[in-house]
Amino acid sequence: RPARPLRTVRDEVAVVAAAVTTRADLLPGALVEFEQLNPALSLRHLPEEGQLAFLAVKKALREAGELPPPGDDVALVSGVGLESLAACARFARSVDEQAGAAASPALFAYTAANAVAGALAASFGFRGPSVTAASGAFASAQALIDAALLLAEGQARRVVVLAFAPESEEVERCLRAAGFALAAPTAAAAVPVAAALVLARIGDAGSDAGARTIALDLRRRKRSSVTVPTDPPPLDSRLGAQTLVEVAHAVRKLRADGGAAIPLRALDPCTGGALWLRVHVERLEPVGSGVTPALAPGAPFASGRERG
C-alpha cells in the first residue's frame, strides 16, 4: 500500500480546576466530611492511593463549583496505568500470610483496574460518561486525550480527569523482572500521589472576562511510524500518573505566578508513541466583543483544534 502522510490532531481545552494530593493530606478526619454528606458509603476501605484520589477529586470539584453532586453533563475519566498491580500484590501477600485462610473480599475488589475509579464515581454521584484508560505508563496521557474528545464531541460540559500512583515494592520488583527500571524518584516525583483536573471547552470555563484562564494544548499523531524501542527506558516512579500530575502542577504554578507557557511531553515506552502538551495562560474577551481568544504572546501552537 502507498504510504500515507502522518496527521497531527490538536485539541485545546480550558482547565477549570487542578489538585494534587500526597500522603501528607491524609490527616485524621480527612474523609469525615464526605461520610457526613453520604453516610451510606464509607471510604475507609479504599487503599491509600484511592483515598488520595478521592481527596484530589473533591478539591478539584470544589474549586470548579461542581460539588456536590456532579451534574449529568459531568464526565469522569481515569488514567490507571499499573496502579492495580499494587492492590494485586497486597492481596497475594495477604493470601500467603494467612496460609489458606479466607482473604479479604474488600481488598480483592480493588485488584480490578477500574475499581478505584468506580468507587469514586459512586461516592460522588457521577451520572455522566465514565471512562478508564488502562494503558501502562501512558495511562494519564491517554486519559487527557479521551477527555478532550468527550468535550469536542459535546458529550460533557465538564470532564474530571483523575490519576494516582501507589507506593509498592512489589510493583517495582515486577517491573524490574520485566526488564524495566524505575527512575530514581525526586522530591517532586514522590509517591503515593494523586491528581485531578476539571476540564471544559475553551470559552466555556465560566471565568469572568479578562480573568486568567489556563488552557491546555494537546497534540498527537493520528498514525505513527515510530518503532518500539529496543531498550526500555527507565519508567517514572509515578508510573502512569506522571503526565496528569505534571499538568496539575503546571496549572497551579501559572495560576499563582503567571509567566511563560510550560511545555510537557508524554512518552509511551512500549510503543514509542508521544503526546505533546503545553499549559499556558489565555485571556478571554467579553462575549460579543468580536475578538477571538488568543494565545499568550510568543506561543508556538495555533489555538483550537487543527487537523492537517
Side-chain angles (χ1 to χ4, degrees):
R1 296 180 180 178
R4 291 183 295 175
L6 297 177
R7 290 200 304 156
T8 297
V9 178
R10 181 176 298 147
D11 292 284
E12 186 181 42
V13 296
V15 183
V16 182
V20 178
T21 54
T22 64
R23 183 174 281 155
D25 295 295
L26 288 176
L27 301 173
L31 304 179
V32 171
E33 179 185 7
F34 168 79
E35 294 176 346
Q36 291 175 341
L37 293 174
N38 194 344
L41 292 173
S42 174
L43 296 176
R44 300 191 184 279
H45 63 284
L46 278 173
E48 180 182 53
E49 60 272 15
Q51 294 184 17
L52 290 177
F54 167 81
L55 293 178
V57 171
K58 183 181 75 170
K59 287 182 179 180
L61 284 174
R62 174 167 289 157
E63 183 180 325
E66 299 284 349
L67 182 71
D72 295 340
D73 52 1
V74 178
L76 177 65
V77 179
S78 305
V80 181
L82 306 176
E83 288 81 353
S84 60
L85 286 180
C88 291
R90 293 178 198 135
F91 180 75
R93 185 170 64 244
S94 69
V95 172
D96 291 339
E97 292 174 351
Q98 292 175 11
S104 169
L107 186 57
F108 177 75
Y110 289 100
T111 59
N114 64 342
V116 168
L120 295 188
S123 299
F124 286 101
F126 277 94
R127 302 186 299 275
S130 182
V131 177
T132 298
S135 47
F138 201 65
S140 62
Q142 183 62 54
L144 288 171
I145 295 172
D146 294 343
L149 290 174
L150 286 174
L151 289 170
E153 294 169 358
Q155 297 190 44
R157 175 183 56 87
R158 296 282 190 271
V159 179
V160 178
V161 189
L162 162 70
F164 53 91
E167 182 181 48
S168 174
E169 295 180 1
E170 290 85 357
V171 171
E172 294 183 21
R173 288 201 296 269
C174 288
L175 293 174
R176 296 185 197 284
F180 290 96
L182 286 178
T186 63
V191 292
V193 66
L197 301 177
V198 179
L199 305 180
R201 289 182 291 269
I202 290 291
D204 189 29
S207 298
D208 295 331
R212 179 177 293 165
T213 299
I214 307 299
L216 172 64
D217 293 330
L218 305 97
R219 187 177 62 171
R220 66 192 188 279
R221 298 245 185 235
K222 190 67 173 177
R223 295 181 65 240
S224 177
S225 59
V226 179
T227 58
V228 177
T230 55
D231 297 320
L235 297 178
D236 190 286
S237 59
R238 293 163 296 188
L239 302 175
Q242 67 267 24
T243 302
L244 195 71
V245 173
E246 290 171 356
V247 170
H249 278 307
V251 169
R252 299 189 72 81
K253 180 180 185 302
L254 287 182
R255 187 158 287 161
D257 306 327
I262 300 175
L264 300 168
R265 183 176 65 167
L267 297 175
D268 187 339
C270 295
T271 67
L275 174 67
W276 292 267
L277 306 104
R278 192 172 63 94
V279 184
H280 65 89
V281 176
E282 177 170 328
R283 293 191 179 277
L284 298 180
E285 297 295 333
V287 176
S289 65
V291 179
T292 57
L295 293 180
F301 295 162
S303 176
R305 168 174 278 202
E306 177 177 303
R307 299 178 185 269

